[in-house]
Amino acid sequence: MFELREKLAGSTEGILKEKFGLSTTVHFDVSFEEGRGDLTTSVALQQAKELKKAPKEIAEVVAEGLQGIPGVQRIEIAGNGYVNVLLKSSA
């Protein structure tokens, strides 16, 4: 799972750079709470003020850009901008 976390983080950093011109470090944390996916990041909430955009708008761009990564079952946006990743059972 470590490699997939790194892949997701790197991809998210690339998306933020390409779409918003933002250079930042992204972390995906393991979620232990039911209904929050297997991995989660709050980068959209953290960067909303700097980007002058709604966190949910940023999260939507990130989620769209992460589609199709091997090992990922689906990506969801929760609350005002958390990006939750559900992994395939073989990941």
Side-chain angles (χ1 to χ4, degrees), residues 3 8 17-18 22-23 34 39 44 46-48 50 54 57 59 63 66 71 74 76 81 88-91:
E3 294 85 15
L8 288 165
K17 180 76 169 171
E18 178 184 331
L22 177 70
S23 293
E34 186 72 29
L39 299 171
Q46 296 166 359
Q47 300 301 325
E50 181 175 342
E57 180 183 345
L66 293 177
R74 76 176 179 269
E76 300 174 339
K88 291 181 180 176
S89 58
S90 61

Side-chain angles (χ1 to χ4, degrees), residues 7-80:
K7 171 78 172 163
L8 288 165
S11 295
T12 302
E13 290 168 4
I15 292 163
L16 293 171
K17 180 76 169 171
E18 178 184 331
K19 301 292 185 179
F20 301 107
L22 177 70
S23 293
T24 189
T25 301
V26 176
H27 299 281
F28 277 84
D29 298 313
V30 175
S31 177
F32 296 103
E33 294 186 41
E34 186 72 29
R36 293 213 176 168
D38 298 305
L39 299 171
T40 187
T41 185
S42 60
V43 69
L45 295 162
Q46 296 166 359
Q47 300 301 325
K49 187 173 184 177
E50 181 175 342
L51 294 174
K52 297 183 173 115
K53 300 209 176 280
K56 196 161 192 168
E57 180 183 345
I58 299 165
E60 288 169 353
V61 171
V62 169
E64 182 179 322
L66 293 177
Q67 297 297 325
I69 291 181
V72 173
Q73 180 176 337
R74 76 176 179 269
I75 299 167
E76 300 174 339
I77 299 167
N80 288 328

